Amino acid sequence: MKTKPLTSKRTLATLSGAYGALALGFRSYPALASVIWIKDELFEYLQGWGRPNHVALTFDDGPDPISTPLILDELRRLEIKATFFMLGSMAEAYPYVAQQVAEDGHEIALHGHWHKNHLFRSTRTIRYDMERSLETVTNATGVRPLYFRPPYGVLTEGTLRTARDLSLRPVLWGAWGRDWRAKATPIQVLNDLKKRFKPGVTVLLHDSDCTSYPGSFRSTLGALEAFTNLCEQHSLSVGPLREHGF
């Protein structure tokens, strides 16, 4: 599948400035998911909207030796595939888990090496981070990722330029379950997903607690079946970004 890198200097400057302003107000959470009107007007193509009969299911922050295998078991039971945005540091520590994700037929994508906000990093450190994660995840899984999602959903000019140079396509999300919260439950995760649930949406969940409240992955795990039922009720198929058609 061909991807369209962001090459325009004007586009780079506009995106980095807007994302930077947003991130200043939302340092603790994925920045753009909290400012829906700006995303809809300016950044729809970064949200990963795809074909109208499909929903892209994505997970961030793994691979994790405790939670990721449980997520994989549930996805296997439900007979669906997803895209896993892996942290290089986690793939480096647990390469056998990363390999299992790939062997199960899921799509491998990048989430950077360390989960650090790009707004507060130099272009040089961003490039080192992304290059290292690309090498680490590729070696662990045997697959070169095509997609990149920055930590906290914050893109800067350095992020966009590096993604272009590494032939990576930045992808954020259109709906999320806020499954990283301390008080999250499967029902709350599902209800949060419903708030932005539309045909063609890209969904963000997490398969690791490495940057979330300990044990919160269980809310994700408990919500997966109900989420797939929701998609079936709307005659929507669920799968990875490679099948999303955007």
Side-chain angles (χ1 to χ4, degrees), residues 70-89:
L70 296 176
I71 297 290
L72 292 177
D73 286 345
E74 182 68 354
L75 294 176
R76 195 178 301 117
R77 185 181 73 83
L78 296 171
E79 298 182 341
I80 57 177
K81 303 298 182 185
T83 300
F84 285 76
F85 284 87
M86 295 185 175
L87 288 171
S89 58

Side-chain angles (χ1 to χ4, degrees), residues 75-115:
L75 294 176
R76 195 178 301 117
R77 185 181 73 83
L78 296 171
E79 298 182 341
I80 57 177
K81 303 298 182 185
T83 300
F84 285 76
F85 284 87
M86 295 185 175
L87 288 171
S89 58
M90 296 293 283
E92 189 172 72
Y94 310 108
Y96 57 95
V97 184
Q99 184 178 28
Q100 186 60 59
V101 175
E103 289 179 353
D104 276 18
H106 299 288
E107 185 173 37
I108 307 301
L110 286 186
H111 198 37
H113 197 79
W114 295 281
H115 202 280

